[in-house]
Amino acid sequence: MVVGDIATGTDVVVIGGGPAGYTAAIRAAQFDLDVTLAETNALGGTCLNHGCIPSKALVTGANTAHEAATAEELGIHADPSVDLGEMVAWKDDVVDQLTGGVEKLCKANGVNLLEGRAEFADENTVRVIHDGEGQGSESVEFQDAIIATGSRPIEIPGFAFDGDRILSSRHALALESIPESLLVVGAGYIGMELSTVFAKLGTDVTVVEMLDDVLPTYESDVSSVVKERAQQLGIDFQFGESAQDWEEMDGGITVHTETEEGEIDEYGAEKVLVAVGRTPITDTLNLDAIDLDTDDRGFIPTDDRTRTTLDHVYAVGDVAGDPMLAHKGMKEGEVAAEVIAGEPAALDYQAIPAAVFTDPEIGTVGLTETEAKEEGFEPVVGQMPMRASGRALTLEETDGFVRVVADEPSGFLLGAQVVAPEASELIGELGLAIEMGATLEDVGATIHTHPTLSEAVMEAAENATGKAIHTLNR
Amino acid sequence: MTHEFELPDVGEGVAEGEIVNWLVETGDPVEEDQPVVEVETDKAVVEVPSPVDGTVAERRAKAGEIVPVGDVIIVFDTDGDGKATETETETEAESEAEAEPASTTDVEAEATDRVFAAPSARRLARERGVDISAVEGSDPSGRITAEDVRAHAEETRAEASDGVESAVQPADESEGDTFTPASEGADRDRTLAVPATRKLADEEGVDIDAVPTDSEHDGEPFVTAEQIEAYTERQQAAQAADTRALQTGEREERVPYKGIRRTIGQQMERSKFTAPHVTHHDEVDVTELVETRDDLKQVAKERGVSLTYMPFVMKAVVAALKDHPYLNASLDESTEEIVLKNYYNVGIAVATDAGLMVPVIDDVNRKGLLQLSSEMNELVTKAREREIAREEMQGGTFTITNFGAVGGEYATPIINHPESAILGLGEIKEKPRVIDGEIVPRKVMTLSLSIDHRIIDGAVAGSFTNTVKQYLNNPALLLL
Ligand SMILES: Cc1cc2nc3c(=O)[nH]c(=O)nc-3n(C[C@H](O)[C@H](O)[C@H](O)COP(=O)(O)OP(=O)(O)OC[C@H]3O[C@@H](n4cnc5c(N)ncnc54)[C@H](O)[C@@H]3O)c2cc1C
């Protein structure tokens, strides 16, 4: 404790006000625990301020512009001009509404909010260091702590983020004007989402990726739909190359890349976006003070109750490991709070869905066919191409498919891969089906509204059992 | 695979039991039907047998703890190779191993590991302490519903209570509580507890890792507020004892108020503070009764029955109850009705080592002296040996207590709630009595009748006692 420091007591201290942290705090408060939430930047964390929400706002903006510009076939002729500054201001409004909402909810539930960086002083004390010179700090004594410090973008050597030339996703989401050209390092989901956004806004986008395909964690028939569309949007892919360094060159920059064989290439661009992944934040916490170790990837290991190796310290969200997704963090936050409150909570979900907001979108949940085999199931798959969907045709969006993976003997749904417009929404139904232990028959026998994209889910399930009407059965 | 074993219903209507003594340790192999724990209910001590073959993975309650029926008290490992995972290192390794799958994408689990069940069913399983992988799905495809989880929980409970022998051996009370306060402190590195408990531990200045517990949550030691309190108390008691021993030696001893003692206490309290008691005292000349009994005693003995005065008193009481139905009644407070009973089940209060018990002899009006005698003797013996079943102590309509057995003339019996009256018998003593102007020695018994003054007035009590006296004074009337 610092001299003059006033220690306040709390049942639960939550460190980090992102989706994992604020969810944990609110839920814990709902159990009548005294909860203190410390956030160093802005409530809502990465998700609301620099991640999910801003990126989706810009996806919407870019889609609207792009659709307007490419609707000639529908008899619509428009030549939209986009003011990125205005779009970003609108996005900021959306963000403000949401972060304001989180703050209100925290307060309404009786969560004590503290602004500042929390670090451990000892096993039962955190010190919250307020921003700014001379702002001081205060100590909070806690019974239980929930670490929810999230993650930050990984920097690569030679490309320190400066917000001007070299951008992180966070910078890219706050640009005031549309860059003429953008070099994106990394073809993971963040790189692909933002590449798509800028390509649709008229930027000349080049993606440099060390591996040999986009979205390497997805099956190739999934990623290839997205890659082809990206190419149609004019995105240029350079696979098998890694970015080495850059130099300023008349008004723009030149980036040097290298292949595994040592071949050097160079690309000119106005700005570079580095999106090679995210790394958990634990260096802000002074974990040494409580003797808590991280694993070799920097995550804090936890069990299925979100407990760390210390019995009164929990970790949730990005800092607790993959998948680094907001909805996973929120569920973990709830579980942590409930476990602390003595409830029989656990992370025993069967599947965590994931969505990529590219064009078309990707939504996945549960096992792929290969994974199902590896797990010892006898998988059967059923697929419905979007081109056979009436609604997809009326949307002028016929690339992609809905695929379901099930266990053949029992019929239980095990997973699904959707590449389609609104795949991020469609995947919700399939996640529910998996959690409920629904069978192909259950999904196929459920009446879906016509004409909608969701009919494709029903059709895919029927296709797996050889009962599809609108596709040829396998 | 683990089998979570809940405290079974060890007797009709028993809601909770006290863990008197564990007969197995964590890690012990057990066979089906092997007794694993002694449980004391409010009436008896029973040995609870294991429902399965396996190994003791975890004891979830400690000796002295009062556990509601249906709570998991012990977890068995039924795999055969099951090892208790209690040691520190193993626990840690386990939690790390658990954490790993979350941070890697490779999937290693076996297909058979997957359980198909809705989140609500999963939660229910956790709430009921049911291992969901042990539940059979009733759905055509094998999906586990909430109903299946419930049924499984019930089944395990039923299985468990099927195996219970209704009443077994008397327990040595002191055994259940073998605390060695000074040295009992546990010394763990990791203890789970809810924040409120930690707070309490802090307030009491107790190191939570030192508080003994058999409870676990997911393989980790788990401490409750009650355990902290109990520990604190014991620590304080131990300290106090130490100080006393140093000074003057034992001046006081503290005996836990629990089990049968507590049940008796609660019953007495309830009766005394529900029914306004009035006690009517009188005495009766039983010289003739003594003679009659002496005559009949030999006959009874030949038939293998030891005849006491009690059957005569029971007969006299039943005869008087027929004339005074309000003494064979109860007040139903919920409906505001007086329930008059046309059957005569007489309870006999028996002092046992554990305290007062009241076996009931049914339908006294329909039984002869010898039958009453032998039934009563049997029940009394059972009660003394604490082998009596709950049902044998229920359904009474009137109670007789023989405080005279230990000497004494008058007392104030407390009514065996919800009955409306109780008759206390004093010792039969030879006393001088005036008969036809002469002082002669007579056998005299004193009577103390307590009544529930809400429904019985003093005059009725007196009149009832007179009838009882009449019969006892002239036992030949009992033959009519
Ligand atoms: C561009 C982008 C797009 C994304 N899109 C999606 C998407 O579509 N869907 C999805 O599910 N996920 C998406 N994500 C990921 C998502 O944002 C994260 O998974 C999510 O925010 C993690 O939540 P969290 O609460 O664990 O951490 P965060 O949201 O990172 O919050 C952690 C908070 O802790 C604070 N903090 C750190 N250290 C301290 C300290 N010592 N004291 C006090 N406060 C501290 C930080 O300031 C931060 O506010 C996206 C991320 C990015 C970058």
Side-chain angles (χ1 to χ4, degrees), chain B residues 299-354:
Chain B
V299 187
K301 201 173 172 190
E302 280 158 20
R303 301 209 196 154
V305 178
S306 109
L307 184 64
T308 62
Y309 292 104
M310 190 57 91
F312 295 92
V313 179
M314 285 160 80
K315 281 273 168 204
V317 161
V318 169
L321 287 174
K322 285 183 174 167
D323 289 349
H324 301 90
Y326 276 61
L327 281 93
N328 197 48
S330 59
L331 180 59
D332 185 337
E333 286 134 25
S334 60
T335 58
E336 310 239 297
E337 284 168 333
I338 299 165
V339 186
L340 304 173
K341 293 160 190 172
N342 296 322
Y343 52 96
Y344 302 89
N345 299 343
V346 177
I348 306 294
V350 179
T352 73
D353 290 348

Side-chain angles (χ1 to χ4, degrees), chain A residues 145-220:
Chain A
I146 301 177
I147 301 176
T149 45
S151 62
R152 63 164 71 94
I154 294 176
E155 264 180 336
I156 50 174
F159 290 85
F161 298 123
D162 62 12
D164 174 27
R165 296 296 192 190
I166 310 300
L167 313 177
S168 69
S169 56
R170 173 175 180 168
H171 301 126
L173 293 169
L175 287 176
E176 287 291 308
S177 60
I178 303 169
E180 225 153 83
S181 56
L182 182 69
L183 185 126
V184 178
V185 183
Y189 86 92
I190 295 177
M192 287 306 292
E193 282 184 8
L194 292 175
S195 300
T196 309
V197 163
F198 285 102
K200 285 183 173 177
L201 294 175
T203 303
D204 209 347
V205 180
T206 303
V207 176
V208 174
E209 165 62 52
M210 205 167 65
L211 302 173
D212 56 8
D213 205 352
V214 304
L215 300 169
T217 54
Y218 290 88
E219 290 164 292
S220 58

Side-chain angles (χ1 to χ4, degrees), chain A residues 8-251:
Chain A
T8 47
T10 194
D11 291 337
V12 183
V13 68
V14 181
I15 307 178
Y22 76 70
T23 305
I26 292 175
R27 177 54 55 92
Q30 287 169 348
F31 280 105
D32 279 341
L33 293 166
D34 183 74
V35 184
T36 302
L37 171 66
E39 165 57 53
T40 179
N41 278 316
L43 279 178
T46 307
C47 172
L48 295 196
N49 298 287
H50 324 289
C52 325
I53 296 299
S55 62
K56 267 82 264 187
L58 295 199
V59 164
T60 302
N63 283 350
T64 309
H66 180 70
E67 276 163 27
T70 55
E72 268 106 46
E73 226 176 296
L74 282 64
I76 298 168
H77 305 273
D79 185 9
S81 91
V82 178
D83 184 326
L84 189 60
E86 279 174 36
M87 194 187 286
V88 166
W90 162 73
K91 173 215 77 178
D92 289 344
D93 267 356
V94 172
V95 168
D96 286 349
Q97 265 185 50
L98 290 169
T99 52
V102 168
E103 182 174 344
K104 275 199 206 104
L105 285 171
C106 284
K107 287 186 173 156
N109 280 284
V111 174
N112 315 308
L113 296 175
L114 289 184
E115 267 182 63
R117 177 173 65 84
E119 62 172 40
F120 288 99
D122 62 44
E123 296 238 323
N124 288 94
T125 319
V126 291
R127 185 153 59 237
V128 180
I129 298 138
H130 299 304
D131 211 14
E133 198 57 32
Q135 292 302 300
S137 66
E138 62 189 292
S139 292
V140 178
E141 277 173 22
F142 60 88
Q143 305 283 334
D144 291 87
I146 301 177
I147 301 176
T149 45
S151 62
R152 63 164 71 94
I154 294 176
E155 264 180 336
I156 50 174
F159 290 85
F161 298 123
D162 62 12
D164 174 27
R165 296 296 192 190
I166 310 300
L167 313 177
S168 69
S169 56
R170 173 175 180 168
H171 301 126
L173 293 169
L175 287 176
E176 287 291 308
S177 60
I178 303 169
E180 225 153 83
S181 56
L182 182 69
L183 185 126
V184 178
V185 183
Y189 86 92
I190 295 177
M192 287 306 292
E193 282 184 8
L194 292 175
S195 300
T196 309
V197 163
F198 285 102
K200 285 183 173 177
L201 294 175
T203 303
D204 209 347
V205 180
T206 303
V207 176
V208 174
E209 165 62 52
M210 205 167 65
L211 302 173
D212 56 8
D213 205 352
V214 304
L215 300 169
T217 54
Y218 290 88
E219 290 164 292
S220 58
D221 63 347
V222 170
S223 55
S224 66
V225 179
V226 171
K227 182 170 71 184
E228 277 159 30
R229 280 284 279 279
Q231 283 166 336
Q232 282 167 24
L233 288 170
I235 298 176
D236 188 20
F237 288 101
Q238 302 297 332
F239 293 114
E241 295 180 23
S242 58
Q244 295 299 316
D245 52 31
W246 63 279
E247 56 186 327
E248 205 123 6
M249 287 276 263
D250 41 46

Side-chain angles (χ1 to χ4, degrees), chain B residues 190-210:
Chain B
R190 181 179 165 87
T191 304
L192 300 184
V194 301
T197 308
R198 289 184 188 284
K199 200 177 229 166
L200 177 70
D202 264 9
E203 283 163 11
E204 299 284 357
V206 167
D207 174 6
I208 202 156
D209 289 328

